Amino acid sequence: MHDPVKLLQDLIRCPSVTPQDLGAQDILKTRLKKIGFEIYDLPYGEGNDNVLNFFARYGTGKPHLCFAGHTDVVPAGNNHWQHNPFQGVIEDNIIYGRGACDMKGGIAAFVTAVENFLSLQANFTGSLSFLITGDEEGPGVNGTVKVLEWMKEKKHIPDFCLVGEPTSAQELGDVIKVGRRGSLNAVITVEGIQGHVAYPHLADNPIHKLMEILSSLTTLPLDKGNKWFQPSSVQVTSIDVGNKTTNLIPATATARLNIRFNHLHNGNSLIGWIETQARRVAEHCQIDIVVSGEAFLTEPGNEVQAIRLAIEEISSVKPRLDTGGGTSDARFISNYCNVAEFGLVGQTMHKANEAVTTEDLKKLSSIYTQFLKNYFL
């Protein structure tokens, strides 16, 4: 049986801080070539924005299952690590290192699961693939989005995709993500007329108008949520006027806000709502909006059931289906096929001393192996 522990250590020892790779993907491609995968290198971007990605496929039949993940990691920082963050040290059966749970551990688990599964299948007739990017922790421009476009062009879109993000909350297997909220960031700038506070009739205070706009956006809830999603949330993150003087009415005022929204809304509908509320108060205000991801939901079907059964069979944990948390590359994949996310406990991701137990890592590999059996056999 192939052991994910050594593979994870090898991956951690490649300090692949976005968008660098430094050998991490070569390790995976070498492993996959040995068991018969065809590899497609898909780099995108130029110079400092160049991102390494690859797609690998085994078989041409149906059904086609894809595992997706990212080899890039966030910076380690420079404090409070008890071991070198890029050495993969094991102490008391715990593997320490940047990416241990987010998400080189997940990749090590599903690669070894596929190795173990295929070693037992002499007459496999389906298809298995991997979508591996180096741009998940970064802008998300030259990674999964472009690989998916290539996959569609080359007819490699799978029937189902499982993303190995660290979805578990307290113990391995307690949460499967079947959807994610969308995310919208807005910047609203109101222009006024600068003046002395003692002569307000000669000025036009933009702060007052901005406060009215923000009040209209935050007073009433967008929705009450539903079975799968929490209520959508508008959060003002910053109000800036750049004014250190107490007797000066400023000329401009700027606010930033984020909306995490469920599938009762979409980016365009929320853009229209923000613009209507803002221009009702300040007709000529400047509004800049970026939607980084739409909300999506994968209605639980046979694929999700296969994951649930695998978790229960291997770890005796009954998983909860969830849509909370931040965004992931699943938001892009959902535009092409059904997708779910399941992986390690994420309590240490992006923290100093990021870690995973060897027991959880091996158990995750076993769960993925059982999922493959449930899905294909």
Side-chain angles (χ1 to χ4, degrees):
M1 300 296 286
H2 296 272
D3 185 355
V5 173
K6 176 63 166 56
L7 177 54
L8 175 55
Q9 288 181 293
D10 290 342
L11 292 173
I12 289 174
R13 288 166 185 160
C14 300
S16 51
V17 177
T18 315
Q20 299 180 92
D21 177 69
L22 301 180
Q25 292 186 15
D26 284 340
I27 292 171
L28 299 175
K29 289 186 288 185
T30 298
R31 297 278 290 246
L32 295 174
K33 283 179 183 177
K34 285 184 178 179
I35 56 173
F37 276 80
E38 187 169 0
I39 307 296
Y40 302 88
D41 288 310
L42 300 168
Y44 294 103
E46 297 179 353
N48 293 333
D49 295 323
N50 183 56
V51 174
L52 298 185
N53 314 281
F54 76 86
F55 176 79
R57 183 162 180 175
Y58 181 98
T60 58
K62 290 283 190 176
H64 174 191
L65 172 67
C66 180
F67 284 101
H70 61 93
T71 50
D72 62 315
V73 298
V74 297
N78 56 8
N79 59 346
H80 305 303
W81 282 89
Q82 64 189 72
H83 300 290
N84 185 315
F86 296 110
Q87 285 300 310
V89 173
I90 298 177
E91 184 177 277
D92 297 328
N93 295 317
I94 299 174
I95 308 170
Y96 291 92
R98 179 56 83 224
C101 69
D102 186 17
M103 66 162 290
K104 290 179 175 179
I107 291 175
F110 60 51
V111 166
T112 52
V114 167
E115 289 174 330
N116 291 330
F117 173 74
L118 290 178
S119 70
L120 301 173
Q121 304 302 316
N123 299 306
F124 179 68
T125 58
S127 295
L128 279 164
S129 64
F130 291 91
L131 189 175
I132 304 296
T133 180
D135 192 31
E136 199 274 348
E137 300 289 7
V141 173
N142 291 316
T144 296
V145 172
K146 292 186 177 177
V147 175
L148 285 164
E149 292 171 355
W150 177 90
M151 289 168 62
K152 181 179 180 180
E153 178 187 346
K154 301 298 183 181
K155 296 181 169 43
H156 286 303
I157 295 299
D159 299 298
F160 183 73
C161 183
L162 182 60
V163 182
E165 287 284 356
T167 62
S168 299
Q170 301 298 325
E171 62 177 328
L172 180 65
D174 60 2
V175 174
I176 301 169
K177 299 282 188 183
V178 294
R180 294 275 186 166
R181 294 174 297 174
S183 180
L184 176 154
N185 290 293
V187 181
I188 302 172
T189 301
V190 177
E191 297 286 342
I193 298 175
Q194 190 180 70
H196 197 295
V197 295
Y199 303 94
H201 58 288
L202 300 177
D204 182 14
N205 196 326
I207 300 176
H208 296 173
K209 292 180 180 179
L210 184 61
M211 289 172 62
E212 185 177 348
I213 293 171
L214 296 178
S215 178
S216 70
L217 294 175
T218 58
T219 299
L220 296 177
L222 281 168
D223 57 71
K224 296 181 179 179
N226 57 28
K227 174 184 176 182
W228 293 110
F229 285 94
Q230 302 170 356
S232 299
S233 173
V234 181
Q235 296 296 320
V236 178
T237 58
S238 176
I239 300 176
D240 300 299
V241 294
N243 184 13
K244 298 181 180 180
T245 305
T246 59
N247 62 354
L248 175 70
I249 294 173
T252 63
T254 299
R256 290 172 171 79
L257 61 88
N258 176 270
I259 303 178
R260 293 300 167 106
F261 58 94
N262 58 42
H263 67 161
L264 300 176
H265 309 273
N266 60 56
N268 285 335
S269 68
L270 291 171
I271 289 172
W273 174 68
I274 291 171
E275 290 180 341
T276 298
Q277 297 299 313
R279 300 200 190 283
R280 178 179 57 82
V281 178
E283 182 179 357
H284 300 294
C285 65
Q286 180 179 334
I287 304 171
D288 298 300
I289 299 176
V290 175
V291 178
S292 60
E294 298 283 356
F296 73 91
L297 173 68
T298 297
E299 291 286 350
N302 292 334
E303 302 97 342
V304 173
Q305 182 64 9
I307 303 170
R308 296 178 78 165
L309 288 174
I311 294 169
E312 293 177 14
E313 289 163 349
I314 299 300
S315 64
S316 301
V317 174
K318 291 189 178 298
R320 169 172 54 88
L321 303 184
D322 188 73
T323 60
T327 59
S328 74
D329 277 359
R331 70 191 189 274
F332 305 128
I333 298 169
S334 68
N335 294 322
Y336 295 84
C337 66
N338 282 342
V339 58
E341 301 170 70
F342 169 66
L344 294 164
V345 176
Q347 291 184 357
T348 63
M349 60 180 173
H350 292 204
K351 294 184 177 181
N353 298 315
E354 181 178 350
V356 59
T357 67
T358 56
E359 178 184 1
D360 272 3
L361 186 64
K362 292 177 181 179
K363 189 178 290 185
L364 179 61
S365 182
S366 296
I367 291 172
Y368 285 153
T369 302
Q370 186 61 46
F371 163 62
L372 290 165
K373 295 176 182 177
N374 294 346
Y375 183 82
F376 284 109
L377 304 181

